[in-house]
Amino acid sequence: MRMASTDAEKFSTRGREFTIFDGSPRDNSNTWAKRPDVEFMELCLTMTKRDLVQRWFSEVWENRDMSTFAEMLAPPLEKTELLDGLTNPRKDYPVLIEVVHKLAGELRVQILHCMEDGDWTSTRYLLTSGGPDGITPVHAEGIMMIRFEGDKIAELTSRFDAFAFFEQLGQLPADAMPACLAGQALIWD
């Protein structure tokens, strides 16, 4: 939520911008809100779990905003607890994000499917970039499950097609998967 300090205060949520005139919220299409002011504000400020997942991808993965990363983790998630297999998530996850950006270039993440079940979300996503040179595109699909405590991440596990990702980066031969399926070993000298 962003507030401006003018006579008409503005904020945005869920991709829509709103302006408050004399305590009455109005969206940018000049349609007056049909709900009472308080109820309308609560509705706009409530983020769904899908919104939180989108925020994770947009602000943390795409924009590398580590203050949002720290804000989104549940306080009990300490150094000794696992987050996506990392034993020290508050220290290691920012390094992982930086390494992936260095390998692939600027990232974009698109949510393909997102399902909710109680505190859990399951999200299928597509990670894309222009590649490290900005010319050779890279893309890989993944699946991520998150358990939320309120609006905080309490558990997270994800898998993405690392094989395809590293093949596109040229770090694995293009025929590596068929070779592995044929029982061959990938051996480096």
Side-chain angles (χ1 to χ4, degrees):
M1 179 174 86
R2 295 185 182 141
M3 300 293 280
S5 57
T6 62
D7 292 336
E9 296 186 70
K10 295 183 179 189
F11 69 96
S12 64
T13 184
R14 296 185 186 170
R16 292 179 67 186
E17 291 188 11
F18 293 85
T19 307
I20 298 177
F21 294 96
D22 301 323
S24 300
R26 185 174 67 178
D27 71 22
N28 284 354
S29 66
N30 294 325
T31 305
W32 287 92
K34 296 180 173 127
R35 299 175 179 265
D37 295 344
V38 173
E39 185 180 345
F40 181 80
M41 290 296 292
E42 287 174 356
L43 175 68
C44 291
L45 298 178
T46 303
M47 294 184 79
T48 66
K49 288 182 181 67
R50 187 187 197 290
D51 293 334
L52 293 169
V53 171
Q54 182 62 56
R55 182 176 185 219
W56 175 259
F57 284 134
S58 298
E59 295 184 33
V60 176
W61 274 97
E62 292 178 3
N63 298 330
R64 296 179 266 184
D65 183 347
M66 292 305 112
S67 63
T68 300
F69 167 77
E71 175 189 320
M72 289 188 76
L73 295 183
L77 196 60
E78 294 301 326
K79 292 193 283 190
T80 58
E81 297 186 48
L82 292 176
L83 178 71
D84 207 17
L86 300 173
T87 55
N88 188 347
R90 292 185 190 276
K91 179 180 168 217
D92 297 339
Y93 218 90
V95 173
L96 173 66
I97 292 168
E98 197 59 39
V99 167
V100 172
H101 271 267
K102 284 182 181 177
L103 288 172
E106 293 301 310
L107 303 175
R108 290 291 166 252
V109 183
Q110 176 187 358
I111 294 176
L112 303 175
H113 296 99
C114 186
M115 296 180 286
E116 296 181 24
D117 183 18
D119 294 336
W120 285 92
T121 62
S122 178
T123 306
R124 185 173 152 245
Y125 62 92
L126 177 65
L127 180 143
T128 60
S129 84
D133 56 7
I135 300 169
T136 310
V138 176
H139 61 277
E141 283 191 23
I143 295 177
M144 179 175 63
M145 293 184 66
I146 299 176
R147 183 176 65 82
F148 288 96
E149 290 178 354
D151 63 349
K152 306 291 184 198
I153 295 173
E155 293 179 60
L156 181 149
T157 186
S158 66
R159 301 291 179 261
F160 85 110
D161 190 352
F163 230 94
F165 180 77
F166 289 116
E167 281 180 353
Q168 293 169 57
L169 289 172
Q171 294 180 272
L172 285 174
D175 60 352
M177 179 62 82
C180 288
L181 290 171
Q184 296 179 11
L186 300 176
I187 301 172
W188 285 264
D189 293 328

